[in-house]
Amino acid sequence: KQNKRNAANQTLKYLSLVTLTGQNAVLGLSMRYARTRPGDMFISTTAVFLAEVVKLLTCLGLVWNSEDRSFSQWWSALDKTIIKQPMDTVKVMVPSAVYLIQNNLLYVAASNLDVATYQITYQLKILTTAMFAVTMLGKRLLPTQWFSLVLLVAGVAMVQLSDVK
């Protein structure tokens, strides 16, 4: 039974990896296309807002499902984790605000950079996340993780230098 569970976890890990990789690739391409196509332009803040609304509804639906689709249990779970823990809610609001700014700036970048530069530079968020995890949270990175970060920075530098020439 444990082997079956491990196999299912491995499958889920790889499925998640493939899905997120595809989602990130499609995101960059579709944002670039949407910002450079001829015709009327949509307001990027509206797109960001609607994306956040979809995420909120999805999360509320997942909580609804995990609470046996009972309104009272669902509301109790939301009350217990959001309303009755205001400091935790405020702590989550800070990175949420930064994420909101980042998503708006992504549309600015998609409008002004070519796709390759946009995609590679966008990956710098991995570096900043790792740096914050090490400096603020005291997380220790494995040598392979440090090597990956160095490769990431080298890749970004090469793309930026190739655009200069």
Side-chain angles (χ1 to χ4, degrees), residues 27-45:
L27 173 72
L29 294 172
S30 62
M31 283 180 78
R32 175 71 180 162
Y33 171 75
R35 300 310 289 173
T36 58
R37 67 179 172 76
D40 291 338
M41 192 70 60
F42 61 90
I43 302 170
S44 61
T45 52

Side-chain angles (χ1 to χ4, degrees), residues 51-65:
E52 295 305 316
V53 168
V54 168
K55 290 178 195 175
L56 173 65
L57 294 174
T58 302
C59 289
L60 290 174
L62 289 171
V63 172
W64 168 265
N65 198 42

Side-chain angles (χ1 to χ4, degrees), residues 4 12 64-65 75-76 80 83 86 89 103 112 158 161:
K4 204 176 224 186
L12 185 60
W64 168 265
N65 198 42
W75 184 255
S76 176
K80 183 174 66 176
I83 298 168
T89 302
N103 283 341
N112 296 304
M158 285 189 283
L161 291 174

Side-chain angles (χ1 to χ4, degrees), residues 22-156:
Q23 184 261 337
N24 266 336
V26 170
L27 173 72
L29 294 172
S30 62
M31 283 180 78
R32 175 71 180 162
Y33 171 75
R35 300 310 289 173
T36 58
R37 67 179 172 76
D40 291 338
M41 192 70 60
F42 61 90
I43 302 170
S44 61
T45 52
T46 304
V48 171
F49 174 75
L50 290 176
E52 295 305 316
V53 168
V54 168
K55 290 178 195 175
L56 173 65
L57 294 174
T58 302
C59 289
L60 290 174
L62 289 171
V63 172
W64 168 265
N65 198 42
S66 72
E67 296 299 327
D68 300 324
R69 299 181 181 176
S70 163
F71 181 79
S72 61
Q73 286 179 264
W74 175 76
W75 184 255
S76 176
L78 293 178
D79 182 56
K80 183 174 66 176
T81 57
I82 298 171
I83 298 168
K84 290 188 176 163
Q85 297 182 24
M87 285 311 295
D88 286 346
T89 302
V90 170
K91 288 177 187 175
V92 172
M93 290 171 78
V94 173
S96 297
V98 173
Y99 185 70
L100 189 67
I101 293 166
Q102 175 197 11
N103 283 341
N104 281 292
L105 291 174
L106 285 176
Y107 278 97
V108 174
S111 301
N112 296 304
L113 297 173
D114 64 278
V115 176
T117 304
Y118 167 82
Q119 282 288 73
I120 297 297
T121 308
Y122 179 64
Q123 298 309 313
L124 280 177
K125 71 180 182 176
I126 297 170
L127 176 66
T128 56
T129 302
M131 290 299 138
F132 285 135
V134 169
T135 58
M136 297 173 75
L137 301 176
K139 181 162 174 49
R140 300 183 74 76
L141 298 180
L142 299 172
T144 54
Q145 292 170 319
W146 281 113
F147 180 70
S148 298
L149 289 172
V150 168
L151 282 179
L152 174 67
V153 171
V156 170

